Amino acid sequence: MRARLFSALVALIATAASAGEVQVAVAANFAQPMARLGEAFTAATGHSLKLSAGSTGKFYSQIVTGAPFEVLLAADDETPARLAKEGHAVAGTQFTYAIGRLALWSATPGLVDDKGAVLAAGNFRHIAIANPKLAPYGAAAYEVLKARRLSEALAPKLVLGDSIAQAYQFVVTGNAELGFVALSQVAVPGKPVPGSYWIVPANLHSPIRQDAVLLKAGEKNPAAAALLAYLKGEAARQLIASFGYS
Amino acid sequence: MSPTEWSAIRLTAELAAVTTVLLLILGAPIAWWLARTRSVFKPVAASVVAMPLVLPPSVLGFYLLLMMGPNGPVGQLTMALGLGRLPFTFGGLVIASVLYSMPFVVQPLQQAFEAIDERTLEAASTLRAGPWDRFFSVALPLARPGILTASVLGFAHTVGEFGVVLMIGGNIEGQTRTLSVLIYDQVEAAEFAQAHRLSAGMVVFALAVLLALYLLNRPRRERERAA
């Protein structure tokens, strides 16, 4: 028994020595899928991930001021491009890992219909969206309201989350009766979606192209390059699609 | 300055003013009781009042969001009373700020009340001053420096509040978008020029307020030497 424990320990130390670590900044909407992907990635390569979830805008400010993130999984394609242009990301490493889908969601069953008519009916006090200034999902949600000509009528009812995660938080606690969230937040594979929701047709807003990029801090880290390669692979693509990304 | 910025400044000042007045009204009896009581519950009450000093704002924000929500006890009470729900409203921020800034008002008041000599109050009592009269005519005037400290700290600490407001406010202009939240937005959106302007203003404000407080509360001896 003791011998087996010892050999296990030796094996563990051996893998730890060859395995790297990657500091990943991940957009709030992709936090759950990334946690699953991280497990699969670690099992496949032995590299471990340190994930920080937050809004893309906040990550931009932090990376510009020298945050030690090595890979950014943004909620848009503009931030990675801007980081590359300003020399904070490695040029030529940017690619789209997911295209986000928006859902209008309520924790109350039956409140949200499958055409989003509830928006015009207005029988709610608060509707949560992510701050359009900071979060691409918030900007997309605002485009939907504009497309429906409801942005002015609903302005007094809008509550803004700091990120899409906070918009979700406002809805899940019932403080806002409904809100625009990322489909990935409510469509967790293998679990029924609680409450009621409407998957917003993609033609009501500009596409939420979510790009990944290698940051300067991770330029010489082989584990960071391995992660980006893994994200482009078939296994990752399938898992990402199962969370409702297209 | 943009209308958004002015609106945040006005809102922050209003929130801090309302919170400070409420805290003085609520805090004075609590502080008086804490200063005078010999009850075994005194350490418990003192600990409860001091808790916001130790608790992270995220804990306070999280529980307020749950308690004030439609399924929480406070939310159900406010809805039964026809007041609606508190998150995302000015009233909700006032309640959160009262809780959050409580120790900054109660503790200076308590210290001021404790410093009042028991014999002064006994003398007032022999002159037939009732308990209310003793409190309003003797204790409050003697505690004036403490009341000043409590007001300034309560106001300033509410101006400096961020985490709780972010968690229960919903960032609504004129309702819940306070200065600290607006600055956070500007920093996140990389609008550093605007963020600098407001942040520098806050630094000057904080320094001015604290400087005024320390100058006014100097012992008389020091003040006379300076003059």
Side-chain angles (χ1 to χ4, degrees), chain A residues 55-58 60-61 64-65 82 125-126 131 133-134 155-156 158-162 166 169-170 172-177, chain B residues 65-66 68-71 83-85 87-89 166-172 177 182 184-192:
Chain A
S55 76
T56 301
K58 174 159 52 208
Y60 172 79
S61 300
V64 168
T65 49
R82 192 165 162 200
R125 295 174 54 130
H126 294 295
N131 191 336
K133 224 167 90 178
L134 308 176
L158 274 189
V159 289
L160 306 185
D162 158 51
Q166 205 188 12
Q169 188 192 100
F170 287 157
V172 79
T173 56
N175 284 303
E177 289 89 341
Chain B
L65 200 61
L66 288 185
M68 292 174 165
N71 304 317
L83 298 170
R85 267 184 254 140
F88 319 132
T89 63
L166 185 77
M167 286 184 74
I168 67 162
N171 205 343
I172 302 168
R177 187 183 291 157
L182 179 64
Y184 180 66
D185 274 4
Q186 291 173 338
V187 174
E188 285 214 357
E191 296 170 353
F192 288 170

Side-chain angles (χ1 to χ4, degrees), chain A residues 72 74 76-85 89-97 209-214 228 232:
Chain A
L72 169 69
D76 64 358
D77 52 0
E78 283 162 25
T79 306
R82 192 165 162 200
L83 285 168
K85 211 178 89 189
V90 181
T93 59
Q94 183 178 346
F95 69 97
T96 304
Y97 65 92
R209 220 176 279 285
Q210 301 194 198
D211 279 12
V213 73
L214 182 64
L228 290 177
K232 291 176 186 165

Side-chain angles (χ1 to χ4, degrees), chain B:
Chain B
M1 287 237 211
S2 69
T4 306
E5 286 167 328
W6 278 120
S7 147
I9 292 170
R10 199 168 49 237
L11 176 74
T12 307
E14 276 171 16
L15 177 65
V18 173
T19 302
T20 308
V21 170
L22 278 178
L23 268 175
L24 286 174
I25 296 169
L26 283 172
I30 296 174
W32 178 251
W33 182 80
L34 282 171
R36 297 283 138 196
T37 188
R38 293 189 184 88
S39 159
V40 288
F41 294 111
K42 177 180 168 174
V44 180
S47 306
V48 169
V49 166
M51 270 208 307
L53 291 174
V54 180
L55 282 177
S58 49
V59 171
L60 215 54
F62 171 54
Y63 280 134
L64 283 173
L65 200 61
L66 288 185
M67 303 262 283
M68 292 174 165
N71 304 317
V74 179
Q76 285 180 344
L77 180 74
T78 54
M79 280 192 289
L81 295 173
L83 298 170
R85 267 184 254 140
L86 290 170
F88 319 132
T89 63
F90 182 75
L93 289 198
V94 169
I95 290 181
S97 308
V98 164
L99 289 173
Y100 191 55
S101 297
M102 179 82 79
F104 290 82
V105 172
V106 169
Q107 290 182 350
L109 288 179
Q110 186 187 340
Q111 281 157 15
F113 289 147
E114 278 168 350
I116 296 171
D117 196 334
E118 195 73 44
R119 280 170 301 186
T120 316
L121 294 169
E122 278 162 14
S125 182
T126 56
L127 294 170
R128 296 210 195 122
W132 289 100
D133 200 10
R134 288 203 295 272
F135 179 74
F136 283 105
S137 318
V138 181
L140 277 188
L142 282 174
R144 219 173 59 188
I147 296 171
L148 180 73
T149 307
S151 317
V152 172
L153 285 183
F155 187 92
H157 189 249
T158 307
V159 169
E161 194 179 333
F162 170 64
V164 181
V165 177
L166 185 77
M167 286 184 74
I168 67 162
N171 205 343
I172 302 168
E173 181 165 350
Q175 278 280 320
T176 60
R177 187 183 291 157
T178 59
L179 259 177
S180 59
V181 171
L182 179 64
I183 293 173
Y184 180 66
D185 274 4
Q186 291 173 338
V187 174
E188 285 214 357
E191 296 170 353
F192 288 170
Q194 287 96 314
H196 266 312
R197 200 167 48 198
L198 289 181
S199 300
M202 289 291 267
V203 170
V204 171
F205 166 79
L207 187 66
V209 162
L210 293 175
L211 200 61
L213 183 67
Y214 286 120
L215 286 175
L216 284 170
N217 271 356
R218 266 186 314 177
R220 182 166 297 154
R221 223 167 346 105
E222 259 179 63
R223 247 180 297 170
E224 276 160 5
R225 203 181 309 148

Side-chain angles (χ1 to χ4, degrees), chain A residues 26-73:
Chain A
V26 54
N29 77 82
F30 201 69
Q32 280 204 50
M34 193 56 224
R36 293 264 189 104
L37 281 169
E39 286 168 24
F41 174 70
T42 303
T45 63
H47 302 311
S48 59
L49 301 181
K50 275 196 166 171
L51 302 177
S52 307
S55 76
T56 301
K58 174 159 52 208
F59 285 136
Y60 172 79
S61 300
Q62 292 178 345
I63 290 163
V64 168
T65 49
F69 298 119
E70 297 171 298
V71 168
L72 169 69
L73 300 176

